[in-house]
Amino acid sequence: MSAIAPVTASRWLPRSMASRLYLIIFAGLMLAQGLSFALLYMERTQSATAVMFNTLEHDVGTSVSVIDRLPAAERSRWLNRLERDNYFYILGPGEPGNQLATQRSRDVLALIAKEVGPDYRVYGNTISTSPERYQVHFTLHDGSPLTLQITPHMKPLAAWLPFVFTLQVILLLVCTWLAVRLATRPLTTLAEAADAMTPTANGPRVAQDGPTEVARAAKAFNTMQDRIARHLKERLHILAAISHDLQTPITRMRLRVEALDESPEQQRILDDLKELQHLVKEGVAYARSAHGDAEKPVKMDVGAFLESLVFDYQDVGQPVSMTGKADITATLRPQALRRVLVNLIDNAIKYGGSAEVALQRGDANALRIIVADRGPGIPEGELEQVLQPFYRLESSRNRDTGGAGLGLAIGAQLIASIGGQLKLENREGGGLQAVITLA
């Protein structure tokens, strides 16, 4: 039961942390404000009631004494002078009623009876309960009946109080919004910097100012970027050094093998050396693909760029066509984009027999370049995995089938380094399409 409660509670909370903080802080402040207002109102009510009882006790005693000493003919002229907000006097026996229904009315009767004394034979009765209205009856010394009718009610709230309460609520809203904004803005800045971080870890630096905790987090984030950048540079240097060191012995071995007499065994060794050399080159190419943003962006006609690339393939007799051309001008890194497109088109020709290139305008004015084929496609569960390095759909190391598993990984990382995204999708009717999205 306890495990279910947090899940149920979280469903009613907003999804963003800023909204949750705003709700919690504002609800807490409003609860505290409401409690303070309730306690203040209760204290005011009790104070007003005590004052009313004290005033009523002495005022009624004085008023009854005055009426008792006046001649009977003059008493009616004094009634208006002795009238108050909650009670007034009637010369006569009043109205018939029931016993006093509330404790407050019985307390009032006891106070009045104590104040005026037993000579006036004081008693009371309830006329109505909603609204509450009761009478206190006196017998003056000349035997005349006198009735005090009481309609208890508290004075309404001051006219300015609702405006003050509204002003307090507005002030709470503003202060809560400001506090939440100050608390969550550094997190938003940190998230934006993390989203803008490129594979080369050369994204925007986070300002190391503000409160101590925020400055510490920003410093840690910037340090992390520096460490990642150093790690990537070290990886590139290591692979470049390995490539350089391997190329020389591979070349020597190849020359020595070629000097041998021709035989099936010689050809197999040459094929292995060629495969080894290709793996070394692809490894270095993958490491360098993370630094595609080093190329200077150029404003160009993307449609003409793709058309030129397609014509190059057609000139050598390759089955590549272009559909859906659009007149789009954008600022891109042409060499990095060309390298990715060549890789995708070669794969489409290799596995699908032909390639179709299309240019579209995507959502939020994004640029979409699609390379499609009618090959066997890729199982849905492996569309993301084939973009990882050294992942191949088949286990063989044959260059004509499985390859080294770096081609798509190089393309995905190169596109990510220039601020884009590469996604693979199976086509309706069979085949695969690679979609490049550039903002």
Side-chain angles (χ1 to χ4, degrees), residues 52-53 55-57 59-60 83-90 95 100 102 104-113 122-129 131-138 147-154:
M52 182 188 71
F53 280 177
T55 304
L56 179 66
E57 176 185 357
D59 187 67
V60 170
E83 182 179 344
R84 300 292 184 265
D85 291 337
N86 295 333
Y87 56 89
F88 60 90
Y89 295 92
I90 301 174
E95 302 178 29
L100 295 176
T102 63
R104 181 171 60 178
S105 62
R106 290 191 286 269
D107 292 341
V108 170
L109 178 64
L111 290 173
I112 293 175
V122 180
Y123 69 96
N125 62 336
T126 297
I127 305 303
S128 68
T129 56
E132 183 181 6
R133 185 163 60 92
Y134 56 93
Q135 293 181 342
V136 179
H137 302 278
F138 307 89
T147 301
L148 172 65
Q149 180 163 303
I150 302 176
T151 306
H153 64 272
M154 291 298 299

Side-chain angles (χ1 to χ4, degrees), residues 275-286:
E275 175 69 15
L276 182 59
Q277 192 172 27
H278 184 84
L279 286 174
V280 172
K281 289 181 178 179
E282 278 201 343
V284 175
Y286 177 72

Side-chain angles (χ1 to χ4, degrees), residues 300-307 310 321-330 332 337 341 356-362 365-372 434-438:
M300 62 182 187
D301 186 339
V302 184
F305 171 78
L306 294 179
E307 198 172 46
V310 171
S321 61
M322 183 170 180
T323 59
K325 178 184 176 182
D327 294 330
I328 299 175
T329 302
L332 303 173
L337 182 59
L341 290 173
E356 301 172 12
V357 181
L359 175 63
Q360 300 175 356
R361 179 69 73 181
N365 209 31
L367 182 66
R368 282 166 49 96
I369 302 175
I370 302 174
V371 178
V435 181
I436 298 174
T437 304
L438 296 170

Side-chain angles (χ1 to χ4, degrees), residues 68 72 75 91-93 120-121 138-147:
D68 188 30
R75 290 173 180 170
L91 294 176
Y120 290 94
R121 292 176 286 178
F138 307 89
T139 301
L140 302 179
H141 286 94
D142 62 358
S144 301
L146 176 66
T147 301

Side-chain angles (χ1 to χ4, degrees), residues 223-399:
T223 303
M224 179 189 68
Q225 281 201 102
D226 295 338
R227 289 174 180 172
I228 294 175
R230 286 197 301 268
H231 171 73
L232 291 174
K233 289 180 180 178
E234 289 174 2
R235 184 184 69 169
L236 180 59
H237 292 161
I238 290 172
L239 286 175
I242 291 174
S243 174
H244 180 270
D245 292 343
L246 287 178
Q247 288 289 349
T248 301
I250 290 174
T251 302
R252 287 200 304 263
M253 291 173 64
R254 186 171 183 177
L255 291 173
R256 289 172 182 174
V257 172
E258 289 177 348
L260 299 176
D261 295 336
E262 293 186 4
S263 65
E265 186 67 23
Q266 179 199 35
Q267 188 59 44
R268 283 195 291 269
I269 296 175
L270 288 175
D271 291 341
D272 289 341
L273 291 173
K274 182 179 179 182
E275 175 69 15
L276 182 59
Q277 192 172 27
H278 184 84
L279 286 174
V280 172
K281 289 181 178 179
E282 278 201 343
V284 175
Y286 177 72
R288 290 175 176 172
S289 65
H291 299 268
D293 59 344
E295 180 186 355
K296 186 178 180 180
V298 177
K299 189 174 183 180
M300 62 182 187
D301 186 339
V302 184
F305 171 78
L306 294 179
E307 198 172 46
S308 173
L309 179 61
V310 171
F311 286 160
D312 290 343
Y313 275 93
Q314 292 176 351
D315 288 342
V316 295
Q318 295 289 349
V320 180
S321 61
M322 183 170 180
T323 59
K325 178 184 176 182
D327 294 330
I328 299 175
T329 302
T331 302
L332 303 173
R333 294 176 170 87
Q335 295 301 323
L337 182 59
R338 183 182 183 87
R339 184 175 179 184
V340 175
L341 290 173
V342 167
N343 195 330
L344 295 176
I345 293 174
D346 288 345
N347 279 346
I349 296 173
K350 180 178 180 180
Y351 296 104
S354 62
E356 301 172 12
V357 181
L359 175 63
Q360 300 175 356
R361 179 69 73 181
D363 298 334
N365 209 31
L367 182 66
R368 282 166 49 96
I369 302 175
I370 302 174
V371 178
D373 62 60
R374 286 298 179 183
I378 297 176
E380 291 291 337
E382 298 184 84
L383 288 173
E384 293 289 337
Q385 299 179 30
V386 295
L387 298 178
Q388 302 302 318
F390 300 107
Y391 185 87
R392 293 172 298 109
L393 291 176
E394 59 175 278
S395 59
S396 72
R397 291 287 180 178
N398 191 333
R399 287 297 307 165

